[in-house]
Amino acid sequence: MLTSNEPIRLWIDTDTSGLFWSGLDCDDDLAVLAALSLHKRQILHLDGISICGGNAPLSHTWQDIHALWEHADGFQITNVQPVKGYGRRSMQVAVGWLRWYNKIRQDGMDSEDASTAIIERSRDKSLDPAHILMLGPPTNLAKAIDSGLLDQAGVSHVYLMGGELTQQTLDLNFRTDRASARTIIESNIPTTIIPIQTCAQTIVTKSYLERLDCPSMAACAILPKMNQQIKLMPRFVNQAVKKRCSLGEDYGPWMPSPNLDKGFIPWDLVALLAITHEEEFLKWKYHGVSIPTCDDHIGEPCNSTMIVSEDLGETFDGRDWSGVVRIPHKVRNEEQLLDLMFALLNEVPAISVHPPAMFWGFYGEILLSICLCITIVLIRYMKKV
């Protein structure tokens, strides 16, 4: 638990895709902007930001963060530039259609820069140990741990946006690289997970978008994607989430937002605020958890589950964190948490009232392929005529 009045030294690892129509969500971008606001408030000090693949291919997330960082003048605020990490080439893509797409259109080349930067930060004795927030697949940090070069004493706490508490299919972050999630959880680094059940207690609806001071705020660039998410997520994601929160008292105290059918879950904003505003969450508990290994002939992600094996209660001696995580089970007040989120988003102005254009992503490739097929059919038809 955080007790110091000093700014929290924070490193964020993320898979931003909110400026891509084909990106799977937009909350990574929103969390980055909220972190800039918290940096300005001196609640946290953003030590670094690294990029991975996940919601979109690394080639897209890398392009996204540069457009967002420039639009929000991120370097001027933090004196930090994003560093590139690992993408889907080094992950076990769990969703069938994403795996299919990845075979046809392989992701861009991985980079060791993010893991190297995390290692260097952990070994910098001139700074207090860092908190590391993993908002996408946790590959970059796991690679740093596996290298044997990470100074674990230089990492105060790891926060993973991911996990599922009822032994059903995991969230996309953990499913995309279960092996890396296992590496982190089995390490002796203090770890908190912000799972599906906690995040589902907060929903962004259309009325909250109207609170943004547009076009002057950087978050306004994400409005097209937020509107898309409000339309699509209730149908394609939230119904499955609702079932995970309604399995009875044998599983937990979770009550999903009553607006689950009306908007999108701001997953990564919830995770960020679980670090900086712990008082907005209740029922913090320690749990024994494990991510079962897969048979060698099957390989990851096999059954895509995580086992929550033991409730250790509200206190923990902290002597051995291997296989132990801390979890906030309940959002204190959904409306207050949303108010805080949008207050933060309204504190990061854009460098221009003209936002960067949305990228088509693989939608453009699909459209081009369709046009090409139609052209071929027409040419053949004309030859017959």
Side-chain angles (χ1 to χ4, degrees):
M1 182 175 294
L2 301 173
T3 57
S4 174
N5 291 325
E6 292 295 317
I8 301 162
R9 309 294 306 212
L10 184 66
W11 185 288
I12 294 179
D13 189 272
T14 182
D15 51 340
T16 49
S17 64
L19 292 173
F20 274 80
W21 285 118
S22 59
L24 297 185
D25 63 34
C26 60
D27 53 291
D28 291 84
D29 301 69
L30 298 175
V32 168
L33 295 175
L36 290 177
S37 177
L38 290 164
H39 183 100
K40 292 167 68 175
R41 289 188 180 192
Q42 298 185 351
I43 293 175
L44 64 79
H45 186 284
L46 191 60
D47 284 348
I49 181 166
S50 49
I51 305 302
C52 62
N55 287 322
L58 178 64
S59 54
H60 292 179
T61 58
W62 185 238
Q63 190 175 1
D64 186 286
I65 191 59
H66 279 281
L68 181 70
W69 205 244
E70 180 179 356
H71 189 57
D73 209 9
F75 179 75
Q76 184 65 33
I77 296 171
T78 64
N79 200 34
V80 163
Q81 291 284 25
V83 290
K84 189 177 184 181
Y86 289 90
R88 291 175 178 171
R89 288 173 180 260
S90 296
M91 300 172 181
Q92 310 97 39
V93 181
V95 181
W97 68 271
L98 286 178
R99 191 161 53 242
W100 173 82
Y101 173 77
N102 201 46
K103 289 179 180 178
I104 296 175
R105 183 77 161 80
Q106 199 167 32
D107 200 357
M109 296 300 296
D110 291 333
S111 172
E112 297 180 355
D113 291 351
S115 293
T116 299
I118 291 171
I119 291 168
E120 290 175 350
R121 172 61 183 85
S122 75
R123 301 172 76 88
D124 190 340
K125 302 302 182 183
S126 68
L127 300 175
D128 290 335
H131 296 72
I132 300 179
L133 172 60
M134 308 299 291
L135 295 178
T139 313
N140 288 329
L141 177 57
K143 292 286 188 183
I145 294 172
D146 286 339
S147 73
L149 299 175
L150 183 80
D151 184 355
Q152 295 192 10
V155 179
S156 177
H157 205 102
V158 170
Y159 293 80
L160 301 177
M161 194 280 106
E164 204 287 326
L165 305 181
T166 62
Q167 300 182 29
Q168 298 185 71
T169 303
L170 283 163
D171 62 287
L172 184 63
N173 284 349
F174 277 26
R175 285 171 68 194
T176 300
D177 197 346
R178 283 176 84 245
S180 287
R182 184 187 304 114
T183 293
I184 295 167
I185 289 172
E186 291 182 352
S187 74
N188 196 30
I189 303 174
T191 300
T192 291
I193 66 171
I194 301 88
I196 291 173
Q197 284 78 5
T198 304
C199 295
Q201 298 171 43
T202 305
I203 291 290
V204 174
T205 59
K206 189 80 171 178
S207 62
Y208 275 93
L209 303 191
E210 297 170 358
R211 297 189 180 193
L212 286 175
D213 182 12
C214 292
S216 59
M217 294 297 120
C220 300
I222 316 299
L223 266 178
K225 190 67 178 182
M226 286 192 276
N227 280 305
Q228 181 201 57
Q229 296 282 290
I230 286 173
K231 293 176 182 177
L232 297 180
M233 292 301 104
R235 175 177 297 182
F236 294 106
V237 173
N238 295 2
Q239 294 307 311
V241 169
K242 184 184 294 187
K243 294 177 182 178
R244 299 161 189 261
C245 298
S246 56
L247 295 178
E249 287 299 321
D250 291 342
Y251 284 95
W254 318 294
M255 181 64 68
S257 168
N259 294 317
L260 207 58
D261 297 328
K262 300 177 182 177
F264 68 87
I265 301 170
W267 310 90
D268 295 337
L269 282 165
V270 175
L272 174 66
L273 295 179
I275 303 175
T276 61
H277 292 75
E278 286 194 2
E279 70 280 1
E280 297 297 334
F281 299 84
L282 303 172
K283 297 186 181 296
W284 288 87
K285 288 188 176 183
Y286 297 89
H287 293 266
V289 301
S290 61
I291 298 178
T293 57
C294 301
D295 292 339
D296 290 340
H297 70 280
I298 297 176
E300 295 285 359
C302 60
N303 61 12
S304 298
T305 60
M306 179 183 83
I307 307 300
V308 182
S309 58
E310 189 175 5
D311 182 345
L312 302 174
E314 297 180 0
T315 59
F316 174 61
D317 61 24
R319 286 180 293 182
D320 183 4
W321 277 88
S322 179
V324 176
V325 298
R326 188 171 180 238
I327 302 173
H329 284 273
K330 185 173 176 58
V331 171
R332 180 187 294 273
N333 184 292
E334 179 186 11
E335 185 176 351
Q336 288 181 10
L337 196 64
L338 286 165
D339 288 345
L340 175 57
M341 290 176 184
F342 279 82
L344 293 171
L345 293 175
N346 271 326
E347 292 177 1
V348 183
I351 61 170
S352 169
V353 295
H354 303 292
M358 292 286 294
F359 302 106
W360 282 100
F362 63 74
Y363 289 170
E365 296 171 6
I366 293 173
L367 183 60
L368 182 62
S369 298
I370 292 173
C371 291
L372 182 60
C373 290
I374 292 173
T375 301
I376 292 172
V377 170
L378 287 175
I379 290 172
R380 288 182 176 179
Y381 175 77
M382 293 301 292
K383 285 183 177 180
K384 290 181 179 180
V385 172

